[in-house]
Amino acid sequence: MAATVFYLTPLPGVGGTAVLDGKEGHHAATVRRIRVGERILLSDGAGGLADTVVTAVERDRLEMAVTSRSEAARPTPTIGLIQALPKAERSELSVELATEAGIDSIVPWQSARCVARWEGAKAVKGVTRWRAVAAAASKQSRRPFVPDVLDLHDTAGVVELVRSVVDRGGLVAVLHEAATAEFSSLPFRDVSEALLVVGPEGGIDDKEIARLTDAGATAVMLGPTVLRTSTAAAVALGAIGAITDRWAQAPLDFGSSE
């Protein structure tokens, strides 16, 4: 039976005692009603894993003995997402779906045609919420890595990110319904890093497309239908998983000890 996953930083070594308290402890002890003797998988969100057995339970606190440690390998190529801000009701869904599909990093983008506008305190609140959603979705999907959610970027900042990925030999795909190149034609197998750019509900502005492609990105059509901005990245990640080795990663392994 698969272990329940919770996040804890730093992770103790083999033979050490891990303590889960706060919100995680409350969820484990009170909501999940985890009991002594159950197996718990801890992750630091950066690939570190600890296999543990519960030794003590209090109202909002668990103590666990660490029985083994391991490090998960990141799937290759690593995939980042530049996500234009969706409308309020779909904002968190875009992060949740991309995280469950395996995204490695997320950049919120205030593009020209975004209906949602994040400014000042609203930007800080929005990024904080996206980070919380990414952490929750990582736990739900049993991921050893929680994707990094960067601060809000404007178009100039996104163009610089695109240029830096291209300069490192990476691949940048702008998902665009009017593109003539096909998504499947891009050489994802030949790179160690790729970046997906997803526009808002109104589409990416023509001037933004020009700036992105001038920086080295390629505009591509993902498929025959037009996808919502909140689902496009997850569908693209599924396609990348099928044509590369990202889905060939072995199940989590607790056999190695430190």
Side-chain angles (χ1 to χ4, degrees), residues 93-118:
L93 180 62
S94 64
V95 176
E96 180 179 34
L97 293 178
T99 300
E100 291 178 357
I103 202 69
D104 295 300
S105 63
I106 302 173
V107 178
W109 174 29
Q110 186 74 72
S111 65
R113 293 181 178 174
C114 283
V115 174
R117 309 302 297 181
W118 287 7

Side-chain angles (χ1 to χ4, degrees), residues 117-129:
R117 309 302 297 181
W118 287 7
E119 297 176 354
K122 190 172 183 179
V124 174
K125 182 178 179 180
V127 170
T128 299
R129 182 55 188 160

Side-chain angles (χ1 to χ4, degrees), residues 69-151:
R69 283 288 308 272
S70 61
E71 293 288 332
R74 279 194 182 275
T76 54
T78 59
I79 308 294
L81 168 63
I82 294 175
Q83 174 66 61
L85 303 180
K87 295 178 182 177
E89 66 271 15
R90 291 191 165 268
S91 178
E92 294 177 10
L93 180 62
S94 64
V95 176
E96 180 179 34
L97 293 178
T99 300
E100 291 178 357
I103 202 69
D104 295 300
S105 63
I106 302 173
V107 178
W109 174 29
Q110 186 74 72
S111 65
R113 293 181 178 174
C114 283
V115 174
R117 309 302 297 181
W118 287 7
E119 297 176 354
K122 190 172 183 179
V124 174
K125 182 178 179 180
V127 170
T128 299
R129 182 55 188 160
W130 277 26
R131 288 171 178 160
V133 171
S138 296
K139 181 190 299 184
Q140 173 66 33
S141 54
R142 290 177 48 77
R143 288 189 56 181
F145 296 96
V146 176
D148 294 325
V149 178
L150 281 66
D151 291 335

